[in-house]
PDB file of all heavy atoms in Angstrom:
ATOM      1  N   LYS A 180     -22.596 126.451  70.469  1.00 86.00           N
ATOM      2  CA  LYS A 180     -23.201 126.759  71.706  1.00 86.00           C
ATOM      3  C   LYS A 180     -23.593 128.260  71.853  1.00 86.00           C
ATOM      4  O   LYS A 180     -24.719 128.507  72.318  1.00 86.00           O
ATOM      5  CB  LYS A 180     -22.238 126.427  72.868  1.00 86.00           C
ATOM      6  CG  LYS A 180     -22.139 124.969  73.122  1.00 86.00           C
ATOM      7  CD  LYS A 180     -23.424 124.369  73.597  1.00 86.00           C
ATOM      8  CE  LYS A 180     -23.267 122.803  73.709  1.00 86.00           C
ATOM      9  NZ  LYS A 180     -24.504 122.158  74.096  1.00 86.00           N
ATOM     10  N   CYS A 181     -22.773 129.133  71.382  1.00 85.00           N
ATOM     11  CA  CYS A 181     -23.139 130.597  71.521  1.00 85.00           C
ATOM     12  C   CYS A 181     -23.367 131.191  70.181  1.00 85.00           C
ATOM     13  O   CYS A 181     -23.766 132.361  70.112  1.00 85.00           O
ATOM     14  CB  CYS A 181     -22.082 131.368  72.286  1.00 85.00           C
ATOM     15  SG  CYS A 181     -20.529 131.562  71.374  1.00 85.00           S
ATOM     16  N   TRP A 182     -23.114 130.491  69.115  1.00 84.00           N
ATOM     17  CA  TRP A 182     -23.419 130.877  67.729  1.00 84.00           C
ATOM     18  C   TRP A 182     -22.642 132.155  67.303  1.00 84.00           C
ATOM     19  O   TRP A 182     -23.134 132.925  66.475  1.00 84.00           O
ATOM     20  CB  TRP A 182     -24.919 131.017  67.454  1.00 84.00           C
ATOM     21  CG  TRP A 182     -25.535 129.724  67.711  1.00 84.00           C
ATOM     22  CD1 TRP A 182     -26.074 129.301  68.947  1.00 84.00           C
ATOM     23  CD2 TRP A 182     -25.577 128.621  66.873  1.00 84.00           C
ATOM     24  NE1 TRP A 182     -26.500 128.013  68.832  1.00 84.00           N
ATOM     25  CE2 TRP A 182     -26.239 127.545  67.587  1.00 84.00           C
ATOM     26  CE3 TRP A 182     -25.219 128.375  65.535  1.00 84.00           C
ATOM     27  CZ2 TRP A 182     -26.434 126.327  67.002  1.00 84.00           C
ATOM     28  CZ3 TRP A 182     -25.433 127.149  64.981  1.00 84.00           C
ATOM     29  CH2 TRP A 182     -26.038 126.153  65.695  1.00 84.00           C
ATOM     30  N   HIS A 183     -21.497 132.381  67.872  1.00 88.00           N
ATOM     31  CA  HIS A 183     -20.582 133.437  67.421  1.00 88.00           C
ATOM     32  C   HIS A 183     -19.427 132.810  66.664  1.00 88.00           C
ATOM     33  O   HIS A 183     -19.119 131.617  66.960  1.00 88.00           O
ATOM     34  CB  HIS A 183     -20.055 134.276  68.578  1.00 88.00           C
ATOM     35  CG  HIS A 183     -21.054 135.231  69.122  1.00 88.00           C
ATOM     36  ND1 HIS A 183     -22.211 134.841  69.810  1.00 88.00           N
ATOM     37  CD2 HIS A 183     -21.106 136.648  69.040  1.00 88.00           C
ATOM     38  CE1 HIS A 183     -22.905 135.912  70.121  1.00 88.00           C
ATOM     39  NE2 HIS A 183     -22.252 136.985  69.654  1.00 88.00           N
ATOM     40  N   ASP A 184     -18.815 133.560  65.775  1.00 91.00           N
ATOM     41  CA  ASP A 184     -17.678 132.959  64.986  1.00 91.00           C
ATOM     42  C   ASP A 184     -16.415 133.070  65.808  1.00 91.00           C
ATOM     43  O   ASP A 184     -15.440 133.719  65.403  1.00 91.00           O
ATOM     44  CB  ASP A 184     -17.580 133.706  63.660  1.00 91.00           C
ATOM     45  CG  ASP A 184     -18.806 133.541  62.800  1.00 91.00           C
ATOM     46  OD1 ASP A 184     -19.568 132.556  63.029  1.00 91.00           O
ATOM     47  OD2 ASP A 184     -19.050 134.396  61.932  1.00 91.00           O
ATOM     48  N   THR A 185     -16.447 132.471  66.998  1.00 94.00           N
ATOM     49  CA  THR A 185     -15.317 132.580  67.938  1.00 94.00           C
ATOM     50  C   THR A 185     -14.734 131.274  68.365  1.00 94.00           C
ATOM     51  O   THR A 185     -13.929 131.226  69.277  1.00 94.00           O
ATOM     52  CB  THR A 185     -15.790 133.398  69.161  1.00 94.00           C
ATOM     53  OG1 THR A 185     -17.068 132.904  69.544  1.00 94.00           O
ATOM     54  CG2 THR A 185     -15.894 134.861  68.880  1.00 94.00           C
ATOM     55  N   TYR A 186     -15.106 130.169  67.669  1.00 95.00           N
ATOM     56  CA  TYR A 186     -14.518 128.915  67.954  1.00 95.00           C
ATOM     57  C   TYR A 186     -13.199 128.830  67.127  1.00 95.00           C
ATOM     58  O   TYR A 186     -13.214 128.957  65.937  1.00 95.00           O
ATOM     59  CB  TYR A 186     -15.424 127.767  67.616  1.00 95.00           C
ATOM     60  CG  TYR A 186     -14.833 126.407  67.984  1.00 95.00           C
ATOM     61  CD1 TYR A 186     -15.161 125.789  69.164  1.00 95.00           C
ATOM     62  CD2 TYR A 186     -13.919 125.757  67.157  1.00 95.00           C
ATOM     63  CE1 TYR A 186     -14.622 124.602  69.561  1.00 95.00           C
ATOM     64  CE2 TYR A 186     -13.365 124.588  67.481  1.00 95.00           C
ATOM     65  CZ  TYR A 186     -13.722 123.977  68.735  1.00 95.00           C
ATOM     66  OH  TYR A 186     -13.163 122.777  69.051  1.00 95.00           O
ATOM     67  N   VAL A 187     -12.121 128.550  67.890  1.00 95.00           N
ATOM     68  CA  VAL A 187     -10.776 128.496  67.215  1.00 95.00           C
ATOM     69  C   VAL A 187     -10.514 127.040  66.883  1.00 95.00           C
ATOM     70  O   VAL A 187     -10.192 126.243  67.760  1.00 95.00           O
ATOM     71  CB  VAL A 187      -9.653 129.098  68.067  1.00 95.00           C
ATOM     72  CG1 VAL A 187      -8.315 129.032  67.354  1.00 95.00           C
ATOM     73  CG2 VAL A 187     -10.037 130.548  68.432  1.00 95.00           C
ATOM     74  N   ASP A 188     -10.552 126.715  65.586  1.00 93.00           N
ATOM     75  CA  ASP A 188     -10.359 125.347  65.188  1.00 93.00           C
ATOM     76  C   ASP A 188      -8.884 125.200  64.678  1.00 93.00           C
ATOM     77  O   ASP A 188      -8.611 125.202  63.468  1.00 93.00           O
ATOM     78  CB  ASP A 188     -11.322 124.976  63.980  1.00 93.00           C
ATOM     79  CG  ASP A 188     -11.346 123.484  63.699  1.00 93.00           C
ATOM     80  OD1 ASP A 188     -10.921 122.752  64.578  1.00 93.00           O
ATOM     81  OD2 ASP A 188     -11.750 123.123  62.627  1.00 93.00           O
ATOM     82  N   LYS A 189      -8.009 125.144  65.672  1.00 91.00           N
ATOM     83  CA  LYS A 189      -6.589 125.129  65.378  1.00 91.00           C
ATOM     84  C   LYS A 189      -5.990 124.225  66.430  1.00 91.00           C
ATOM     85  O   LYS A 189      -6.280 124.330  67.621  1.00 91.00           O
ATOM     86  CB  LYS A 189      -6.080 126.549  65.492  1.00 91.00           C
ATOM     87  CG  LYS A 189      -4.764 126.790  64.895  1.00 91.00           C
ATOM     88  CD  LYS A 189      -4.358 128.254  65.039  1.00 91.00           C
ATOM     89  CE  LYS A 189      -2.956 128.455  64.667  1.00 91.00           C
ATOM     90  NZ  LYS A 189      -2.487 129.833  64.928  1.00 91.00           N
ATOM     91  N   PRO A 190      -5.083 123.279  66.037  1.00 89.00           N
ATOM     92  CA  PRO A 190      -4.472 122.395  67.069  1.00 89.00           C
ATOM     93  C   PRO A 190      -3.916 123.200  68.235  1.00 89.00           C
ATOM     94  O   PRO A 190      -3.225 124.211  68.045  1.00 89.00           O
ATOM     95  CB  PRO A 190      -3.334 121.682  66.289  1.00 89.00           C
ATOM     96  CG  PRO A 190      -3.769 121.769  64.861  1.00 89.00           C
ATOM     97  CD  PRO A 190      -4.538 123.060  64.721  1.00 89.00           C
ATOM     98  N   GLY A 191      -4.197 122.719  69.421  1.00 90.00           N
ATOM     99  CA  GLY A 191      -3.701 123.404  70.623  1.00 90.00           C
ATOM    100  C   GLY A 191      -4.735 124.395  71.236  1.00 90.00           C
ATOM    101  O   GLY A 191      -4.607 124.738  72.358  1.00 90.00           O
ATOM    102  N   PHE A 192      -5.715 124.749  70.450  1.00 92.00           N
ATOM    103  CA  PHE A 192      -6.736 125.643  71.004  1.00 92.00           C
ATOM    104  C   PHE A 192      -8.046 124.905  71.045  1.00 92.00           C
ATOM    105  O   PHE A 192      -8.477 124.490  72.158  1.00 92.00           O
ATOM    106  CB  PHE A 192      -6.922 126.895  70.119  1.00 92.00           C
ATOM    107  CG  PHE A 192      -5.703 127.799  70.183  1.00 92.00           C
ATOM    108  CD1 PHE A 192      -4.807 127.829  69.146  1.00 92.00           C
ATOM    109  CD2 PHE A 192      -5.483 128.592  71.288  1.00 92.00           C
ATOM    110  CE1 PHE A 192      -3.672 128.649  69.186  1.00 92.00           C
ATOM    111  CE2 PHE A 192      -4.359 129.435  71.314  1.00 92.00           C
ATOM    112  CZ  PHE A 192      -3.455 129.462  70.292  1.00 92.00           C
TER     113      PHE A 192
END
Side-chain angles (χ1 to χ4, degrees):
K180 286 294 174 184
C181 70
W182 301 94
H183 281 69
D184 298 337
T185 43
Y186 183 96
V187 181
D188 193 19
K189 196 178 169 183
F192 292 103

